[in-house]
Amino acid sequence: MHRIHYELPQGKNNNRVKIILQDALGEREILNETKQPGSKIDLTVPYGGQATLRIYVDGILVREKEMK
């Protein structure tokens, strides 16, 4: 299990947040939602083996994390 914490930057417009997990089981979408500026995202994600977690905001990769 891995705990994800991400806080969206402040701004005027809502943001489309997408979280993708790629592990031994393949690639899957953990979250795909529109969030307000400054929103906090807290999730616990199960994964198998080595994994890569990617967080996109409005289609732009803002965080990538390798997990073992």
Side-chain angles (χ1 to χ4, degrees):
M1 298 285 236
H2 179 73
R3 185 163 169 76
I4 300 168
H5 174 76
Y6 183 74
E7 187 170 339
L8 288 163
Q10 296 292 334
K12 292 186 222 168
N13 302 321
N14 288 346
N15 302 107
R16 169 64 65 178
V17 179
K18 188 186 286 189
I19 300 177
I20 305 288
L21 178 73
Q22 185 171 2
D23 64 6
L25 304 173
E27 186 173 286
R28 59 193 181 278
E29 195 172 77
I30 303 299
L31 179 81
N32 189 351
E33 295 179 2
T34 300
K35 299 280 191 184
Q36 293 185 348
S39 294
K40 294 178 182 171
I41 298 168
D42 284 300
L43 298 170
T44 301
V45 179
Y47 66 94
Q50 188 170 343
T52 303
L53 182 78
R54 293 182 182 93
I55 301 175
Y56 296 88
V57 176
D58 294 330
I60 298 168
L61 179 65
V62 294
R63 185 178 292 172
E64 182 173 54
K65 181 168 183 162
E66 300 286 328
M67 302 179 294
K68 297 182 181 182

